[in-house]
Amino acid sequence: MAHVLSLLQGGGSHRSKTTVAVVVLVASIALRKLHQQWRATQTNGSAKPTASAAPTNVPANGTKKRRRIGVDAQFIAEIKKLLPVCIPGVRSPEFGLLVALAGILVVRSWLDIWFSSFNGMVVKAIVSRDRARFIAKAVFEFGFMMWPLSIVNNSLKLSINALALRIRSRLTRYAHDQYLNGITFYKMSNLDSRIQNVDQLIAQDVSKFADSLSHLYSDTLKPVVDIFLFAYKLGQAIGGGAPLAMVSYFFVSAVILRNISPPFGKYTAVEQGLEGQFRYNHSRIITHSEEIAFYGGGQRERELVNKSFQRIVDHIRRVYKMRFLNGVFDSVLVKYGATMLAYYLLARPVFGSGYGGDSVTEAMDPTQIMEDYSRNSGFLINLSQAVGRLVLAGRDITRFAGYTARVSELFTVLDDVNTGTYQRPLVEGGEELASILAQHAAQSDDASGAGSEQTDMLLSQGVVNPSALRGEVVHQDGVIDFNHVPVVTPNGDVLVRDLTFRIESGMNCLITGPNGCGKSSLFRILGDLWPLFAGSVVKPRAQELFYVPQKPYLPLGTFRDQIIYPHNHVDSLKLGYTDDNLRNLLKVVHLEYLIAREGGWNSTRDWADVLSGGEKQRVAMARLFYHRPQFAILDECTSAVSVDVEGIMYNHAKQVGITLFTVSHRTSLFKHHDYLLRFDGEGGYHFDRLNHEDGNTPFQFQHGKSAYQGESSQSVTSDSYSDDDKQATAAA
Ligand SMILES: Nc1ncnc2c1ncn2[C@@H]1O[C@H](COP(=O)(O)OP(=O)(O)OP(=O)(O)O)[C@@H](O)[C@H]1O
């Protein structure tokens, strides 16, 4: 210590100067290490994706299968499928970012080389006590170069993050387009059993895949470039005092940064909140998929999820920009400012007054040795670090393969479901379903498709594809006609073997039967939610069929949105609906008071919590009157509404020309219907006109028939529906 103090005080001989050189050399190496540590902190600064579990499939046989994830032929095939979605072409911004990132990485490597040589020159200037050269290098050259150094390093981070965000945006939008195409979101969770957690895949795994891909690109490209450059350079070539000042500087810098830095912790919390909201919006689609599917609300839901996703993108973009600026100041202040200070501290003993008289002997030329050693050690450190990073990148590839497998499986299943193929374990290995299809095929002399060996084999594997579907849908206004239709659940359970009935506009029909007999399932087939395996269904277009469930779906949005769903405000204005018109609809269902109670049409609440069960059901009826379809499918939708208000609502529906197709066990509703379709719960049903004259008994048909086991006892066609009947219905 005394020796160092004596050096600082300027005393010393030739030996002392050699010691100074050694001190400078050690400090220089320490400084370089400090620099490398800073750089490592920078590289690791951006969050790396965590390990991902292998995708868990539920194959047709129902057992869980865990695929071994690795860099294999399947991984290559998956990447080939995903890359065109992530980077659609050489003119895309994503490709531009890849090129820019490669350019920045090359510049960064060049700067590393510059720094190694520069460091050697600074060391030489110090050791040879060349004050002018030192000032030119350490103050002017470095003072100039610290800006490109700082900007390049932070540009690297910015472009890695921007690339990840762009890839995520591409994949998420692609997934949304597929998932919310028609009623795919319903089919994914109700017909196909391969993926249980679409929300997590879209909201989390896609993001991790994008992050991982972007990091992997830079984490492999940079070391590769470094290895070539530093190996070449090395081949060409050859083949710390004042800690208190340093600590004080870091302390002061930390205080300054703490005061000028934006609250990144808070931003992270906000980001998590937005991510949570985004995920919640997706989970709502799964929870309410049936209702949304019946409403045809896919488009509206896509708007909502895209909007909430856009909020995340906007937020992250803002934060990245702040991180970039903050990173520049951070680097200048803590990293390069500290480096300058370190140079000063290292140089202080050399330029101290006590060193003025002596010079290092030429024979040893220690200055050149110092310069070469310092520069070459820089090359060597960079080279070994590049190799180390490449080894680490190898480990990251396995993790990346996990994300790739999950995202690729999501897109495969979306593709399948969109083209009418789904997989799930079928009851009795699909045998009963196959026999029904064979029977229908024989009846219709259809030798191909349904009932064929190939279809039977696919069904036995739990695969239902378009070749198994021989049903026909015909669109026609004013009629719902089921002709020899089997009612089959998605897992192949046959609820009704052969259903035939016909109702026309004005023929209000009630459906009854024990729980689980297939009443709602009939609507699922009518609404195209479940596949039509055989027979034919004649019905109006989707917008003329309106479904009102027992638990109404209340979308995110304003009070007005609850009435007009799945329309938005602009749609309703185009249809000529003012708020006054909507108020009149609420009057019909006795809910006018809600407008004032909930703070007006534009107030936004969690409507499922705010409204009572009966209020929710009446809001759903107001929605029905807003849309005024030809047929209303009412599935126990007034179970929580008082009988008098229920009567008013049913009468209003009839007045405005909506034909009712109701599932209910409430006797109070019988008087509003003219026909009864009754399932017996054992595959049989009965359809006939209701006889109200005999006291409105639910099971008293006009034709005097009792419930029938097995098959249709009576199907009322338009022929048997006489003019008298129509007049009676109209009068009602
Ligand atoms: N997504 C599905 N996948 C497989 N089976 C289903 C699905 N949805 C319903 N089912 C089955 O179909 C059968 C009929 O259901 P459905 O909802 O049509 O009954 P329901 O007659 O309306 O009964 P409830 O009066 O209780 O409402 C039930 O056994 C049910 O478990």
Side-chain angles (χ1 to χ4, degrees):
M1 186 67 186
H3 186 61
V4 172
L5 278 175
S6 99
L7 286 171
L8 284 171
Q9 283 153 11
S13 59
H14 169 71
R15 229 183 76 216
S16 307
K17 282 166 191 161
T18 310
T19 314
V20 170
V22 173
V23 169
V24 171
L25 178 63
V26 169
S28 152
I29 291 169
L31 181 65
R32 167 154 284 280
K33 274 202 170 168
L34 201 61
H35 176 72
Q36 301 295 354
Q37 276 172 6
W38 277 325
R39 216 172 59 179
T41 319
Q42 270 207 328
T43 315
N44 298 331
S46 27
K48 292 242 176 153
T50 52
S52 129
T56 307
N57 297 353
V58 182
N61 60 13
T63 55
K64 288 210 171 187
K65 182 174 80 179
R66 199 165 270 276
R67 192 190 123 199
R68 196 178 160 76
I69 301 297
V71 183
D72 52 13
Q74 191 167 349
F75 167 70
I76 305 288
E78 287 167 347
I79 280 291
K80 268 190 187 166
K81 230 172 89 182
L82 290 175
L83 273 185
V85 181
C86 306
I87 301 151
V90 288
R91 283 157 187 257
S92 64
E94 290 75 14
F95 191 81
L97 267 173
L98 281 180
V99 174
L101 191 51
I104 295 169
L105 286 169
V106 170
V107 173
R108 163 83 182 261
S109 295
W110 181 84
L111 285 173
D112 284 342
I113 291 172
W114 169 84
F115 188 79
S116 295
S117 308
F118 169 82
N119 206 34
M121 287 187 271
V122 170
V123 169
K124 186 178 179 181
I126 293 170
V127 174
S128 60
R129 288 183 292 158
D130 186 344
R131 190 190 300 257
R133 190 170 164 75
F134 171 78
I135 290 172
K137 288 281 165 197
V139 178
F140 292 108
E141 190 173 339
F142 194 77
F144 172 76
M145 286 301 284
M146 69 182 179
W147 288 99
L149 274 168
S150 181
I151 289 168
V152 165
N153 284 340
N154 285 287
S155 300
L156 195 58
K157 271 200 226 170
L158 179 72
S159 41
I160 291 171
N161 289 330
L163 182 64
L165 188 60
R166 283 218 164 254
I167 293 172
R168 184 182 177 191
S169 299
R170 288 268 179 204
L171 291 170
T172 306
R173 295 224 160 82
Y174 180 81
H176 282 170
D177 287 346
Q178 301 270 305
Y179 184 52
L180 293 164
N181 173 29
I183 57 164
T184 304
F185 56 89
Y186 173 83
K187 293 178 176 168
M188 287 285 284
S189 48
N190 288 279
L191 304 191
D192 202 291
S193 62
R194 278 174 287 177
I195 288 180
Q196 309 294 324
N197 50 349
V198 189
D199 55 337
Q200 195 195 341
L201 284 168
I202 297 180
Q204 246 182 38
D205 292 77
V206 162
S207 156
K208 285 179 177 171
F209 170 85
D211 244 27
S212 196
L213 178 59
S214 174
H215 275 104
L216 207 61
Y217 176 70
S218 61
D219 287 355
T220 46
L221 192 62
K222 168 87 172 99
V224 168
V225 172
D226 278 1
I227 286 170
F228 280 105
L229 281 179
F230 287 109
Y232 174 73
K233 279 283 174 190
L234 203 60
Q236 263 192 336
I238 39 170
L244 187 65
M246 244 4 234
V247 169
S248 309
Y249 180 82
F250 279 124
F251 179 76
V252 172
S253 310
V255 171
I256 294 171
L257 278 177
R258 199 185 148 80
N259 283 300
I260 63 164
S261 291
F264 287 116
K266 202 168 133 192
Y267 294 151
T268 307
V270 171
E271 191 184 325
Q272 296 296 324
L274 289 173
E275 295 278 2
Q277 185 65 42
F278 180 48
R279 207 171 152 189
Y280 173 62
N281 290 351
H282 266 287
S283 69
R284 284 175 63 91
I285 295 175
I286 293 172
T287 312
H288 305 288
S289 60
E290 185 168 322
E291 292 90 334
I292 302 172
F294 269 118
Y295 285 126
Q299 175 62 32
R300 183 85 178 95
E301 295 300 326
R302 180 163 42 188
E303 282 169 25
L304 288 170
V305 288
N306 274 340
K307 207 167 150 188
S308 98
F309 176 65
Q310 192 55 44
R311 270 193 225 119
I312 297 178
V313 171
D314 292 345
H315 174 79
I316 294 179
R317 259 198 200 125
R318 268 197 302 273
V319 174
Y320 281 169
K321 277 182 198 154
M322 280 187 281
R323 275 197 198 283
F324 169 70
L325 287 176
N326 192 69
V328 170
F329 287 112
D330 195 332
S331 300
V332 167
L333 196 63
V334 180
K335 190 171 163 182
Y336 300 114
T339 306
M340 281 181 81
L341 174 65
Y343 280 139
Y344 165 72
L345 290 171
L346 289 168
R348 202 170 55 152
V350 179
F351 297 110
S353 53
Y355 282 83
D358 298 335
S359 68
V360 179
T361 58
E362 278 193 8
M364 287 179 70
D365 194 11
T367 60
Q368 193 54 47
I369 294 170
M370 294 292 288
E371 182 183 351
D372 289 352
Y373 181 81
S374 173
R375 189 191 58 227
N376 294 342
S377 71
F379 291 160
L380 202 63
I381 289 169
N382 275 297
L383 183 64
S384 55
Q385 280 192 343
V387 175
R389 276 203 305 274
L390 210 54
V391 171
L392 282 180
R395 257 191 262 157
D396 289 346
I397 286 185
T398 316
R399 191 164 34 196
F400 175 63
Y403 298 135
T404 307
R406 290 171 70 80
V407 175
S408 145
E409 190 195 22
L410 169 71
F411 289 157
T412 303
V413 179
L414 280 170
D415 255 7
D416 280 358
V417 172
N418 265 318
T419 51
T421 301
Y422 69 85
Q423 285 185 34
R424 71 183 287 159
L426 296 181
V427 173
E428 295 174 9
E431 272 178 37
E432 193 186 2
L433 178 57
S435 93
I436 292 256
L437 295 182
Q439 189 187 330
H440 278 267
Q443 278 166 5
S444 60
D445 292 331
D446 183 359
S448 63
S452 72
E453 269 180 35
Q454 197 202 1
T455 307
D456 289 357
M457 193 190 72
L458 284 173
L459 287 176
S460 70
Q461 292 169 358
V463 179
V464 175
N465 71 4
S467 76
L469 310 180
R470 309 306 288 176
E472 189 193 5
V473 174
V474 178
H475 291 293
Q476 187 185 324
D477 278 342
V479 64
I480 292 177
D481 186 347
F482 274 60
N483 198 15
H484 298 294
V485 173
V487 180
V488 183
T489 69
N491 51 10
D493 198 3
V494 181
L495 300 173
V496 182
R497 282 183 83 88
D498 190 337
L499 178 64
T500 297
F501 72 91
R502 178 184 175 95
I503 56 171
E504 295 183 0
S505 280
M507 296 165 62
N508 288 345
C509 180
L510 186 70
I511 303 178
T512 62
N515 290 130
C517 66
K519 302 183 292 292
S520 305
S521 305
L522 173 68
F523 294 156
R524 291 178 188 123
I525 291 177
L526 185 60
D528 293 329
L529 270 62
W530 285 6
L532 181 62
F533 283 100
S536 68
V537 172
V538 182
K539 60 176 186 171
R541 298 206 167 268
Q543 56 271 32
E544 293 299 343
L545 284 169
F546 203 79
Y547 175 71
V548 188
Q550 186 174 15
K551 285 186 193 156
Y553 174 62
L554 299 171
L556 299 169
T558 62
F559 183 53
R560 185 188 300 104
D561 289 336
Q562 310 310 306
I563 313 295
I564 62 179
Y565 186 83
H567 288 174
N568 58 28
H569 193 191
V570 178
D571 297 332
S572 70
L573 289 174
K574 272 188 203 150
L575 286 176
Y577 271 99
T578 61
D579 286 348
D580 278 344
N581 299 135
L582 298 180
R583 178 186 293 270
N584 288 337
L585 296 180
L586 286 185
K587 267 187 201 163
V588 175
V589 296
H590 290 221
L591 279 186
E592 201 189 352
Y593 65 90
L594 276 186
I595 306 170
R597 192 186 83 182
E598 299 306 336
W601 291 107
N602 290 317
S603 67
T604 305
R605 305 245 191 288
D606 193 344
W607 298 106
D609 291 343
V610 167
L611 302 179
S612 74
E615 285 172 341
K616 284 179 205 163
Q617 290 192 337
R618 286 188 279 160
V619 163
M621 287 301 278
R623 196 183 291 164
L624 169 71
F625 300 144
Y626 165 86
H627 287 284
R628 283 178 67 166
Q630 289 176 13
F631 289 90
I633 296 162
L634 309 178
D635 197 347
E636 304 264 14
C637 71
T638 50
S639 56
V641 176
S642 63
V643 175
D644 52 332
V645 176
E646 179 185 70
I648 292 168
M649 294 193 309
Y650 268 83
N651 284 329
H652 183 79
K654 280 191 261 180
Q655 269 170 25
V656 295
I658 301 172
T659 302
L660 307 171
F661 206 5
T662 311
V663 170
S664 180
H665 300 285
R666 278 180 122 174
T667 48
S668 57
L669 283 177
F670 282 89
K671 63 173 179 277
H672 298 291
H673 297 84
D674 316 295
Y675 287 84
L676 178 70
L677 173 61
R678 189 160 70 86
F679 293 104
D680 61 12
E682 291 170 25
Y685 68 95
H686 194 100
F687 178 69
D688 208 339
R689 191 175 168 82
L690 270 171
N691 186 356
H692 294 303
E693 285 159 19
D694 286 356
N696 292 338
T697 20
F699 304 122
Q700 186 67 52
F701 293 106
Q702 192 178 47
H703 296 92
K705 287 176 184 155
S706 60
Y708 184 87
Q709 298 261 325
E711 290 177 3
S712 168
S713 66
Q714 176 76 31
S715 80
V716 179
T717 63
S718 55
D719 300 339
S720 61
Y721 183 61
S722 67
D723 285 341
D724 290 349
D725 291 336
K726 286 176 189 162
Q727 278 165 17
T729 311

